[in-house]
Amino acid sequence: MIGLKGTMSVIDNSGAVIAECIKVMSGGRYARLGKLTEALLILDFSNLIHTLAGDEIVCVVKRARPINPSLIGTQAASLKVKKGDVRHAVIVRTKKEVGRPDGRYIRFDDNACILLNQKKEPLGTRVLGVVAAELRQKKWMKLVSLAPRVV
Amino acid sequence: MSTAAEAAPKYTAPASIQVPAEQFPAPKVTRKNLIDVVSQEQVQRANVDGRMELFSRKNPNRIQPGSVLLVETLNSKAKESTSTFMGVVIAIRRKGLETTFTLRNLVMKVGVEQRFALYSPMLKSIKVLQQAGSKDIKFRRAKLFYLRDQPGKAFQSLQSLWKQEQAEKVAAKKN
């Protein structure tokens, strides 16, 4: 449950380290990893409707990795963000437990997000860390394929 | 009284109600809490592969908090594919049919906790990789939430247990 001022770590290689939420795009007070809806009865992840996907937020980059100007040339370096940038992001891990349709609940030790560009594509080229399986929607398939581990 | 019962018409449920196939003899309900009787039968019906004994209070070989379990869950009722999760049991909540247990593991340095409903039909199997309660693997608490802040050595053996399990799987497939 990430709300206004909620901080989370950024787990891609865009350069940001910590981001702070400034707007929850779904319109609610908190952004969640997923929420149980009437889709509970469908015990099959592929049939779930989009409400169970990670919520999108707008965030401010609070801390970023320093951009070394002498290293410009690789694709990754050109995507780096700096402190104070406002970007869209998608929540990939929450400390608040998320219910799965089969009665399981899953909880991570921290909150994490992945920065996106205006076209809802990931800004970075790699994902560094675990990602929740709630992201296995058509929208975020690219993220899931980049993730080293999906739980 | 007996003649009145014999004379009464037999009750047939309407088609919309699913009557479960009779598996157990009619329970004795005199001087018993009816809800307890019903919930006990619910547990017995859900106890397909003997998972009730793993979590009962009196069984000397029950799973104790601190044990390492490997849980396999079906991804969907239609398909055979499963997902596995291994972790240390940090909490067992005994509530009849709604008994749940929580497993904690460190996945890529991030702590992940999963709470499983014991009698869920999507839970395929539970395998005990390391039983707690002996020698130095003894935890003096029922709920090990303190492991979130002070893990100590609790999660060190998980890597080797996972590798052992994978090796056993490969050996089983060969045979």
Side-chain angles (χ1 to χ4, degrees):
Chain A
M1 279 172 73
I2 316 281
L4 183 64
K5 294 292 268 179
T7 50
M8 67 217 96
S9 48
V10 181
I11 58 163
D12 57 10
N13 65 345
S14 61
V17 173
I18 292 178
E20 184 186 272
C21 172
I22 52 172
K23 173 123 184 116
V24 176
M25 292 312 287
S26 64
R29 191 173 263 187
Y30 298 105
R32 279 169 288 187
L33 190 48
K35 48 185 188 278
L36 295 180
T37 61
E38 296 83 52
L40 266 185
L41 301 167
I42 308 167
L43 292 170
D44 183 355
F45 266 98
S46 60
N47 283 342
L48 288 175
I49 52 183
H50 67 276
T51 44
L52 278 181
D55 272 350
E56 282 172 52
I57 56 163
V58 180
C59 62
V60 171
V61 175
K62 280 301 210 185
R63 211 195 313 163
R65 270 181 256 274
I67 303 171
N68 200 334
S70 61
L71 287 174
I72 287 176
T74 55
Q75 206 180 27
S78 63
L79 291 171
K80 290 248 180 350
V81 299
K82 51 187 200 298
K83 180 179 162 185
D85 275 5
V86 174
R87 301 275 176 210
H88 283 246
V90 64
I91 311 279
V92 298
R93 287 202 299 253
T94 49
K95 210 163 176 183
K96 177 70 182 163
E97 64 273 352
V98 170
R100 301 246 167 108
D102 55 4
R104 282 185 290 164
Y105 280 88
I106 188 159
R107 213 189 84 104
F108 297 88
D109 267 6
D110 66 346
N111 303 308
C113 68
I114 291 177
L115 298 188
L116 307 169
N117 61 15
Q118 291 301 325
K119 283 186 266 176
K120 309 280 184 271
E121 289 158 13
L123 263 182
T125 51
R126 281 173 57 209
V127 171
L128 321 153
V130 199
V131 141
E134 261 72 18
L135 283 186
R136 277 216 173 97
Q137 309 297 309
K138 279 185 209 163
K139 231 172 158 188
W140 310 120
M141 280 320 277
K142 180 143 194 226
L143 287 177
V144 171
S145 63
L146 284 172
R149 188 80 194 271
V150 182
V151 175
Chain B
M1 275 296 280
S2 57
T3 45
E6 281 161 40
K10 193 176 175 189
Y11 174 73
T12 43
S16 56
I17 295 177
Q18 276 178 322
V19 181
E22 227 178 274
Q23 292 165 279
F24 308 100
K28 289 182 218 165
V29 295
T30 49
R31 293 160 127 224
K32 280 193 180 181
N33 185 334
L34 193 59
I35 299 295
D36 279 352
V37 171
V38 170
S39 68
Q40 264 177 37
E41 183 164 324
Q42 274 185 327
V43 168
Q44 279 175 355
R45 278 179 197 277
N47 182 26
V48 177
D49 50 3
R51 47 183 80 163
M52 184 175 82
E53 281 88 55
L54 286 175
F55 285 91
S56 76
R57 277 190 204 278
K58 295 179 185 171
N59 180 12
N61 299 326
R62 67 186 178 279
I63 293 174
Q64 289 180 9
S67 319
V68 179
L69 299 186
L70 183 79
V71 174
E72 246 187 285
T73 27
L74 293 167
N75 286 329
S76 90
K77 272 197 157 175
K79 300 165 202 168
E80 281 280 323
S81 61
T82 57
S83 33
T84 52
F85 188 76
M86 181 184 73
V88 176
V89 176
I90 58 168
I92 298 172
R93 177 180 175 268
R94 294 185 174 88
K95 293 275 181 188
L97 192 67
E98 291 120 35
T99 302
T100 63
F101 59 97
T102 316
L103 296 184
R104 182 179 168 82
N105 199 352
L106 288 162
V107 181
M108 297 190 76
K109 295 185 197 167
V110 176
V112 181
E113 285 178 19
Q114 274 210 47
R115 203 190 319 162
F116 296 92
L118 179 61
Y119 297 113
S120 165
M122 304 296 270
L123 209 157
K124 192 173 164 192
S125 68
I126 302 170
K127 188 171 173 189
V128 182
L129 296 180
Q130 193 180 75
Q131 182 66 276
S134 62
K135 322 189 266 181
D136 41 19
I137 318 162
K138 188 160 189 175
F139 295 87
R140 307 192 75 198
R141 290 274 165 301
K143 303 285 189 287
L144 311 177
F145 298 132
Y146 68 89
L147 290 179
R148 290 171 185 163
D149 304 313
Q150 300 167 30
K153 295 182 197 168
F155 301 100
Q156 278 179 4
S157 54
L158 291 181
Q159 281 272 0
S160 56
L161 283 169
W162 178 255
K163 283 180 188 162
Q164 211 177 33
E165 175 63 26
Q166 299 297 86
E168 278 174 26
K169 253 191 182 177
V170 169
K173 267 190 179 177
K174 277 187 182 173
N175 305 342

mmCIF file of all heavy atoms in Angstrom, chain B residues 39-79:
data_model
loop_
_atom_site.group_PDB
_atom_site.id
_atom_site.type_symbol
_atom_site.label_atom_id
_atom_site.label_comp_id
_atom_site.label_asym_id
_atom_site.label_seq_id
_atom_site.Cartn_x
_atom_site.Cartn_y
_atom_site.Cartn_z
ATOM 1 N N SER B 39 -17.599 -28.506 11.718
ATOM 2 C CA SER B 39 -16.271 -28.079 11.258
ATOM 3 C C SER B 39 -15.292 -29.244 11.285
ATOM 4 O O SER B 39 -14.409 -29.333 10.433
ATOM 5 C CB SER B 39 -15.758 -26.904 12.094
ATOM 6 O OG SER B 39 -15.481 -27.316 13.406
ATOM 7 N N GLN B 40 -15.454 -30.166 12.239
ATOM 8 C CA GLN B 40 -14.580 -31.346 12.246
ATOM 9 C C GLN B 40 -14.797 -32.193 11.003
ATOM 10 O O GLN B 40 -13.853 -32.728 10.414
ATOM 11 C CB GLN B 40 -14.859 -32.194 13.487
ATOM 12 C CG GLN B 40 -13.905 -31.888 14.618
ATOM 13 C CD GLN B 40 -14.244 -32.673 15.855
ATOM 14 O OE1 GLN B 40 -14.652 -33.829 15.758
ATOM 15 N NE2 GLN B 40 -14.082 -32.059 16.998
ATOM 16 N N GLU B 41 -16.082 -32.304 10.608
ATOM 17 C CA GLU B 41 -16.331 -33.094 9.399
ATOM 18 C C GLU B 41 -15.804 -32.380 8.161
ATOM 19 O O GLU B 41 -15.293 -33.004 7.234
ATOM 20 C CB GLU B 41 -17.832 -33.383 9.247
ATOM 21 C CG GLU B 41 -18.093 -34.253 8.031
ATOM 22 C CD GLU B 41 -19.457 -34.897 8.035
ATOM 23 O OE1 GLU B 41 -19.934 -35.261 9.122
ATOM 24 O OE2 GLU B 41 -20.035 -35.029 6.942
ATOM 25 N N GLN B 42 -15.899 -31.050 8.143
ATOM 26 C CA GLN B 42 -15.337 -30.268 7.031
ATOM 27 C C GLN B 42 -13.847 -30.555 6.892
ATOM 28 O O GLN B 42 -13.335 -30.753 5.790
ATOM 29 C CB GLN B 42 -15.504 -28.771 7.303
ATOM 30 C CG GLN B 42 -16.825 -28.209 6.867
ATOM 31 C CD GLN B 42 -16.874 -26.713 7.065
ATOM 32 O OE1 GLN B 42 -16.269 -26.184 8.002
ATOM 33 N NE2 GLN B 42 -17.576 -26.035 6.207
ATOM 34 N N VAL B 43 -13.140 -30.569 8.031
ATOM 35 C CA VAL B 43 -11.693 -30.822 8.012
ATOM 36 C C VAL B 43 -11.425 -32.235 7.505
ATOM 37 O O VAL B 43 -10.529 -32.452 6.694
ATOM 38 C CB VAL B 43 -11.104 -30.621 9.418
ATOM 39 C CG1 VAL B 43 -9.688 -31.144 9.481
ATOM 40 C CG2 VAL B 43 -11.130 -29.159 9.812
ATOM 41 N N GLN B 44 -12.233 -33.193 7.965
ATOM 42 C CA GLN B 44 -12.015 -34.568 7.517
ATOM 43 C C GLN B 44 -12.245 -34.722 6.024
ATOM 44 O O GLN B 44 -11.544 -35.469 5.348
ATOM 45 C CB GLN B 44 -12.951 -35.509 8.278
ATOM 46 C CG GLN B 44 -12.422 -35.858 9.648
ATOM 47 C CD GLN B 44 -13.405 -36.681 10.450
ATOM 48 O OE1 GLN B 44 -14.527 -36.919 9.997
ATOM 49 N NE2 GLN B 44 -12.989 -37.125 11.592
ATOM 50 N N ARG B 45 -13.213 -33.986 5.506
ATOM 51 C CA ARG B 45 -13.460 -34.048 4.064
ATOM 52 C C ARG B 45 -12.317 -33.411 3.286
ATOM 53 O O ARG B 45 -11.950 -33.852 2.211
ATOM 54 C CB ARG B 45 -14.758 -33.315 3.723
ATOM 55 C CG ARG B 45 -15.978 -34.136 3.944
ATOM 56 C CD ARG B 45 -17.249 -33.357 3.622
ATOM 57 N NE ARG B 45 -18.395 -33.997 4.210
ATOM 58 C CZ ARG B 45 -19.046 -35.024 3.663
ATOM 59 N NH1 ARG B 45 -18.641 -35.498 2.522
ATOM 60 N NH2 ARG B 45 -20.081 -35.569 4.279
ATOM 61 N N ALA B 46 -11.741 -32.346 3.836
ATOM 62 C CA ALA B 46 -10.656 -31.640 3.133
ATOM 63 C C ALA B 46 -9.314 -32.325 3.322
ATOM 64 O O ALA B 46 -8.376 -32.082 2.573
ATOM 65 C CB ALA B 46 -10.580 -30.205 3.632
ATOM 66 N N ASN B 47 -9.230 -33.198 4.319
ATOM 67 C CA ASN B 47 -7.969 -33.856 4.652
ATOM 68 C C ASN B 47 -7.722 -35.013 3.701
ATOM 69 O O ASN B 47 -7.824 -36.171 4.070
ATOM 70 C CB ASN B 47 -8.031 -34.346 6.101
ATOM 71 C CG ASN B 47 -6.741 -35.005 6.543
ATOM 72 O OD1 ASN B 47 -5.682 -34.713 6.013
ATOM 73 N ND2 ASN B 47 -6.844 -35.894 7.514
ATOM 74 N N VAL B 48 -7.399 -34.662 2.437
ATOM 75 C CA VAL B 48 -7.320 -35.675 1.398
ATOM 76 C C VAL B 48 -6.072 -36.539 1.535
ATOM 77 O O VAL B 48 -6.111 -37.739 1.398
ATOM 78 C CB VAL B 48 -7.353 -34.993 0.009
ATOM 79 C CG1 VAL B 48 -7.209 -36.014 -1.079
ATOM 80 C CG2 VAL B 48 -8.649 -34.216 -0.157
ATOM 81 N N ASP B 49 -4.926 -35.909 1.824
ATOM 82 C CA ASP B 49 -3.668 -36.664 1.832
ATOM 83 C C ASP B 49 -2.997 -36.651 3.189
ATOM 84 O O ASP B 49 -1.783 -36.731 3.282
ATOM 85 C CB ASP B 49 -2.729 -36.086 0.766
ATOM 86 C CG ASP B 49 -2.625 -34.580 0.889
ATOM 87 O OD1 ASP B 49 -3.227 -34.020 1.819
ATOM 88 O OD2 ASP B 49 -1.938 -33.960 0.060
ATOM 89 N N GLY B 50 -3.776 -36.552 4.243
ATOM 90 C CA GLY B 50 -3.196 -36.672 5.578
ATOM 91 C C GLY B 50 -2.466 -35.451 6.063
ATOM 92 O O GLY B 50 -1.624 -35.541 6.950
ATOM 93 N N ARG B 51 -2.782 -34.261 5.510
ATOM 94 C CA ARG B 51 -2.096 -33.060 5.965
ATOM 95 C C ARG B 51 -2.565 -32.608 7.332
ATOM 96 O O ARG B 51 -1.906 -31.824 8.002
ATOM 97 C CB ARG B 51 -2.253 -31.929 4.946
ATOM 98 C CG ARG B 51 -3.651 -31.733 4.452
ATOM 99 C CD ARG B 51 -3.728 -30.658 3.404
ATOM 100 N NE ARG B 51 -3.320 -31.141 2.094
ATOM 101 C CZ ARG B 51 -3.598 -30.499 0.951
ATOM 102 N NH1 ARG B 51 -4.247 -29.364 0.981
ATOM 103 N NH2 ARG B 51 -3.198 -30.977 -0.195
ATOM 104 N N MET B 52 -3.696 -33.137 7.762
ATOM 105 C CA MET B 52 -4.193 -32.770 9.090
ATOM 106 C C MET B 52 -3.220 -33.230 10.169
ATOM 107 O O MET B 52 -2.970 -32.520 11.144
ATOM 108 C CB MET B 52 -5.559 -33.427 9.300
ATOM 109 C CG MET B 52 -6.228 -33.039 10.595
ATOM 110 S SD MET B 52 -7.872 -33.714 10.737
ATOM 111 C CE MET B 52 -7.553 -35.348 11.305
ATOM 112 N N GLU B 53 -2.621 -34.409 9.977
ATOM 113 C CA GLU B 53 -1.722 -34.943 11.004
ATOM 114 C C GLU B 53 -0.444 -34.122 11.115
ATOM 115 O O GLU B 53 0.179 -34.063 12.172
ATOM 116 C CB GLU B 53 -1.349 -36.400 10.688
ATOM 117 C CG GLU B 53 -2.420 -37.390 11.053
ATOM 118 C CD GLU B 53 -3.402 -37.582 9.926
ATOM 119 O OE1 GLU B 53 -2.956 -37.898 8.824
ATOM 120 O OE2 GLU B 53 -4.600 -37.391 10.157
ATOM 121 N N LEU B 54 -0.052 -33.473 10.007
ATOM 122 C CA LEU B 54 1.180 -32.681 10.051
ATOM 123 C C LEU B 54 1.032 -31.483 10.977
ATOM 124 O O LEU B 54 2.010 -30.983 11.510
ATOM 125 C CB LEU B 54 1.520 -32.169 8.643
ATOM 126 C CG LEU B 54 2.072 -33.157 7.640
ATOM 127 C CD1 LEU B 54 2.227 -32.474 6.299
ATOM 128 C CD2 LEU B 54 3.401 -33.715 8.078
ATOM 129 N N PHE B 55 -0.211 -31.003 11.118
ATOM 130 C CA PHE B 55 -0.407 -29.774 11.880
ATOM 131 C C PHE B 55 -1.280 -29.958 13.109
ATOM 132 O O PHE B 55 -1.697 -28.987 13.721
ATOM 133 C CB PHE B 55 -1.028 -28.698 10.978
ATOM 134 C CG PHE B 55 -0.043 -28.116 10.007
ATOM 135 C CD1 PHE B 55 0.120 -28.659 8.752
ATOM 136 C CD2 PHE B 55 0.735 -27.030 10.362
ATOM 137 C CE1 PHE B 55 1.034 -28.141 7.859
ATOM 138 C CE2 PHE B 55 1.645 -26.495 9.473
ATOM 139 C CZ PHE B 55 1.796 -27.053 8.230
ATOM 140 N N SER B 56 -1.557 -31.193 13.471
ATOM 141 C CA SER B 56 -2.375 -31.370 14.676
ATOM 142 C C SER B 56 -1.532 -31.045 15.897
ATOM 143 O O SER B 56 -0.319 -31.029 15.852
ATOM 144 C CB SER B 56 -2.884 -32.808 14.751
ATOM 145 O OG SER B 56 -1.845 -33.657 15.170
ATOM 146 N N ARG B 57 -2.185 -30.781 17.007
ATOM 147 C CA ARG B 57 -1.447 -30.352 18.188
ATOM 148 C C ARG B 57 -0.761 -31.507 18.907
ATOM 149 O O ARG B 57 0.240 -31.335 19.565
ATOM 150 C CB ARG B 57 -2.397 -29.671 19.166
ATOM 151 C CG ARG B 57 -2.654 -28.225 18.844
ATOM 152 C CD ARG B 57 -3.393 -27.564 19.993
ATOM 153 N NE ARG B 57 -4.127 -26.400 19.550
ATOM 154 C CZ ARG B 57 -3.579 -25.193 19.384
ATOM 155 N NH1 ARG B 57 -2.312 -24.998 19.646
ATOM 156 N NH2 ARG B 57 -4.297 -24.191 18.974
ATOM 157 N N LYS B 58 -1.312 -32.705 18.805
ATOM 158 C CA LYS B 58 -0.845 -33.804 19.655
ATOM 159 C C LYS B 58 0.148 -34.724 18.975
ATOM 160 O O LYS B 58 0.879 -35.433 19.631
ATOM 161 C CB LYS B 58 -2.046 -34.626 20.135
ATOM 162 C CG LYS B 58 -2.959 -33.840 21.035
ATOM 163 C CD LYS B 58 -4.152 -34.671 21.488
ATOM 164 C CE LYS B 58 -5.115 -33.803 22.306
ATOM 165 N NZ LYS B 58 -6.369 -34.504 22.570
ATOM 166 N N ASN B 59 0.185 -34.687 17.668
ATOM 167 C CA ASN B 59 1.069 -35.588 16.933
ATOM 168 C C ASN B 59 2.533 -35.302 17.280
ATOM 169 O O ASN B 59 2.991 -34.183 17.141
ATOM 170 C CB ASN B 59 0.835 -35.359 15.433
ATOM 171 C CG ASN B 59 1.704 -36.246 14.578
ATOM 172 O OD1 ASN B 59 2.321 -37.183 15.062
ATOM 173 N ND2 ASN B 59 1.739 -35.945 13.286
ATOM 174 N N PRO B 60 3.305 -36.304 17.760
ATOM 175 C CA PRO B 60 4.695 -36.045 18.118
ATOM 176 C C PRO B 60 5.560 -35.679 16.914
ATOM 177 O O PRO B 60 6.593 -35.046 17.059
ATOM 178 C CB PRO B 60 5.161 -37.362 18.753
ATOM 179 C CG PRO B 60 4.174 -38.371 18.305
ATOM 180 C CD PRO B 60 2.894 -37.674 18.079
ATOM 181 N N ASN B 61 5.110 -36.066 15.699
ATOM 182 C CA ASN B 61 5.865 -35.720 14.498
ATOM 183 C C ASN B 61 5.259 -34.543 13.749
ATOM 184 O O ASN B 61 5.409 -34.418 12.544
ATOM 185 C CB ASN B 61 5.910 -36.930 13.543
ATOM 186 C CG ASN B 61 6.603 -38.103 14.190
ATOM 187 O OD1 ASN B 61 7.532 -37.924 14.959
ATOM 188 N ND2 ASN B 61 6.122 -39.301 13.907
ATOM 189 N N ARG B 62 4.554 -33.679 14.470
ATOM 190 C CA ARG B 62 3.922 -32.536 13.813
ATOM 191 C C ARG B 62 4.994 -31.531 13.392
ATOM 192 O O ARG B 62 6.125 -31.543 13.881
ATOM 193 C CB ARG B 62 2.929 -31.860 14.753
ATOM 194 C CG ARG B 62 3.614 -31.196 15.933
ATOM 195 C CD ARG B 62 2.606 -30.647 16.927
ATOM 196 N NE ARG B 62 3.297 -30.059 18.062
ATOM 197 C CZ ARG B 62 3.788 -30.759 19.084
ATOM 198 N NH1 ARG B 62 3.649 -32.068 19.119
ATOM 199 N NH2 ARG B 62 4.430 -30.149 20.059
ATOM 200 N N ILE B 63 4.588 -30.665 12.469
ATOM 201 C CA ILE B 63 5.495 -29.611 12.011
ATOM 202 C C ILE B 63 5.537 -28.531 13.079
ATOM 203 O O ILE B 63 4.504 -27.992 13.484
ATOM 204 C CB ILE B 63 4.986 -29.028 10.677
ATOM 205 C CG1 ILE B 63 5.100 -30.097 9.588
ATOM 206 C CG2 ILE B 63 5.782 -27.798 10.291
ATOM 207 C CD1 ILE B 63 4.497 -29.686 8.289
ATOM 208 N N GLN B 64 6.723 -28.224 13.536
ATOM 209 C CA GLN B 64 6.880 -27.189 14.561
ATOM 210 C C GLN B 64 7.414 -25.921 13.949
ATOM 211 O O GLN B 64 8.080 -25.965 12.914
ATOM 212 C CB GLN B 64 7.840 -27.685 15.639
ATOM 213 C CG GLN B 64 7.231 -28.784 16.486
ATOM 214 C CD GLN B 64 8.191 -29.250 17.538
ATOM 215 O OE1 GLN B 64 9.239 -28.652 17.741
ATOM 216 N NE2 GLN B 64 7.850 -30.330 18.198
ATOM 217 N N PRO B 65 7.126 -24.775 14.547
ATOM 218 C CA PRO B 65 7.665 -23.519 13.982
ATOM 219 C C PRO B 65 9.186 -23.568 13.953
ATOM 220 O O PRO B 65 9.824 -23.960 14.912
ATOM 221 C CB PRO B 65 7.157 -22.436 14.927
ATOM 222 C CG PRO B 65 6.525 -23.119 16.056
ATOM 223 C CD PRO B 65 6.271 -24.535 15.702
ATOM 224 N N GLY B 66 9.755 -23.201 12.811
ATOM 225 C CA GLY B 66 11.190 -23.285 12.632
ATOM 226 C C GLY B 66 11.577 -24.375 11.661
ATOM 227 O O GLY B 66 12.716 -24.439 11.214
ATOM 228 N N SER B 67 10.631 -25.250 11.330
ATOM 229 C CA SER B 67 10.916 -26.297 10.341
ATOM 230 C C SER B 67 10.974 -25.683 8.953
ATOM 231 O O SER B 67 10.398 -24.628 8.701
ATOM 232 C CB SER B 67 9.822 -27.356 10.349
ATOM 233 O OG SER B 67 9.409 -27.662 11.629
ATOM 234 N N VAL B 68 11.658 -26.381 8.068
ATOM 235 C CA VAL B 68 11.758 -25.926 6.677
ATOM 236 C C VAL B 68 10.835 -26.800 5.841
ATOM 237 O O VAL B 68 10.932 -28.021 5.865
ATOM 238 C CB VAL B 68 13.203 -26.033 6.151
ATOM 239 C CG1 VAL B 68 13.271 -25.587 4.713
ATOM 240 C CG2 VAL B 68 14.130 -25.199 7.018
ATOM 241 N N LEU B 69 9.911 -26.155 5.134
ATOM 242 C CA LEU B 69 8.947 -26.887 4.316
ATOM 243 C C LEU B 69 9.099 -26.521 2.851
ATOM 244 O O LEU B 69 9.536 -25.415 2.522
ATOM 245 C CB LEU B 69 7.506 -26.536 4.714
ATOM 246 C CG LEU B 69 7.016 -26.815 6.113
ATOM 247 C CD1 LEU B 69 5.534 -26.508 6.168
ATOM 248 C CD2 LEU B 69 7.263 -28.239 6.518
ATOM 249 N N LEU B 70 8.697 -27.446 2.007
ATOM 250 C CA LEU B 70 8.632 -27.193 0.566
ATOM 251 C C LEU B 70 7.181 -27.408 0.159
ATOM 252 O O LEU B 70 6.653 -28.509 0.295
ATOM 253 C CB LEU B 70 9.553 -28.157 -0.188
ATOM 254 C CG LEU B 70 9.635 -27.957 -1.691
ATOM 255 C CD1 LEU B 70 10.544 -26.812 -2.009
ATOM 256 C CD2 LEU B 70 10.115 -29.212 -2.373
ATOM 257 N N VAL B 71 6.523 -26.347 -0.297
ATOM 258 C CA VAL B 71 5.099 -26.433 -0.612
ATOM 259 C C VAL B 71 4.912 -26.308 -2.117
ATOM 260 O O VAL B 71 5.491 -25.440 -2.764
ATOM 261 C CB VAL B 71 4.324 -25.303 0.107
ATOM 262 C CG1 VAL B 71 2.879 -25.312 -0.332
ATOM 263 C CG2 VAL B 71 4.410 -25.478 1.598
ATOM 264 N N GLU B 72 4.112 -27.226 -2.648
ATOM 265 C CA GLU B 72 3.820 -27.184 -4.088
ATOM 266 C C GLU B 72 2.364 -26.777 -4.251
ATOM 267 O O GLU B 72 1.483 -27.409 -3.673
ATOM 268 C CB GLU B 72 4.009 -28.579 -4.683
ATOM 269 C CG GLU B 72 5.141 -28.694 -5.666
ATOM 270 C CD GLU B 72 5.157 -30.052 -6.333
ATOM 271 O OE1 GLU B 72 5.562 -31.010 -5.668
ATOM 272 O OE2 GLU B 72 4.730 -30.142 -7.498
ATOM 273 N N THR B 73 2.126 -25.737 -5.053
ATOM 274 C CA THR B 73 0.742 -25.301 -5.281
ATOM 275 C C THR B 73 0.436 -25.395 -6.764
ATOM 276 O O THR B 73 1.274 -25.106 -7.608
ATOM 277 C CB THR B 73 0.517 -23.846 -4.846
ATOM 278 O OG1 THR B 73 1.750 -23.157 -4.948
ATOM 279 C CG2 THR B 73 0.007 -23.753 -3.447
ATOM 280 N N LEU B 74 -0.810 -25.778 -7.068
ATOM 281 C CA LEU B 74 -1.233 -25.817 -8.461
ATOM 282 C C LEU B 74 -1.487 -24.399 -8.923
ATOM 283 O O LEU B 74 -2.042 -23.580 -8.197
ATOM 284 C CB LEU B 74 -2.533 -26.617 -8.588
ATOM 285 C CG LEU B 74 -2.446 -28.103 -8.289
ATOM 286 C CD1 LEU B 74 -3.841 -28.678 -8.145
ATOM 287 C CD2 LEU B 74 -1.705 -28.834 -9.365
ATOM 288 N N ASN B 75 -1.096 -24.105 -10.159
ATOM 289 C CA ASN B 75 -1.320 -22.750 -10.667
ATOM 290 C C ASN B 75 -2.755 -22.556 -11.109
ATOM 291 O O ASN B 75 -3.297 -21.471 -11.029
ATOM 292 C CB ASN B 75 -0.377 -22.467 -11.846
ATOM 293 C CG ASN B 75 1.034 -22.260 -11.371
ATOM 294 O OD1 ASN B 75 1.243 -21.782 -10.274
ATOM 295 N ND2 ASN B 75 2.002 -22.628 -12.191
ATOM 296 N N SER B 76 -3.350 -23.600 -11.607
ATOM 297 C CA SER B 76 -4.758 -23.514 -11.976
ATOM 298 C C SER B 76 -5.344 -24.908 -11.914
ATOM 299 O O SER B 76 -4.637 -25.892 -12.048
ATOM 300 C CB SER B 76 -4.927 -22.927 -13.371
ATOM 301 O OG SER B 76 -4.929 -23.944 -14.330
ATOM 302 N N LYS B 77 -6.655 -24.973 -11.742
ATOM 303 C CA LYS B 77 -7.299 -26.278 -11.604
ATOM 304 C C LYS B 77 -7.225 -27.073 -12.891
ATOM 305 O O LYS B 77 -7.200 -28.278 -12.894
ATOM 306 C CB LYS B 77 -8.775 -26.081 -11.200
ATOM 307 C CG LYS B 77 -8.959 -25.999 -9.726
ATOM 308 C CD LYS B 77 -10.399 -26.217 -9.326
ATOM 309 C CE LYS B 77 -10.484 -26.698 -7.889
ATOM 310 N NZ LYS B 77 -11.856 -26.810 -7.413
ATOM 311 N N ALA B 78 -7.182 -26.340 -14.023
ATOM 312 C CA ALA B 78 -7.205 -27.026 -15.307
ATOM 313 C C ALA B 78 -5.849 -27.645 -15.637
ATOM 314 O O ALA B 78 -5.770 -28.743 -16.149
ATOM 315 C CB ALA B 78 -7.626 -26.053 -16.402
ATOM 316 N N LYS B 79 -4.771 -26.898 -15.335
ATOM 317 C CA LYS B 79 -3.453 -27.354 -15.776
ATOM 318 C C LYS B 79 -2.725 -28.100 -14.682
ATOM 319 O O LYS B 79 -3.050 -28.012 -13.502
ATOM 320 C CB LYS B 79 -2.608 -26.151 -16.209
ATOM 321 C CG LYS B 79 -3.230 -25.386 -17.342
ATOM 322 C CD LYS B 79 -2.563 -24.035 -17.482
ATOM 323 C CE LYS B 79 -3.478 -23.079 -18.216
ATOM 324 N NZ LYS B 79 -3.009 -21.703 -18.126
#
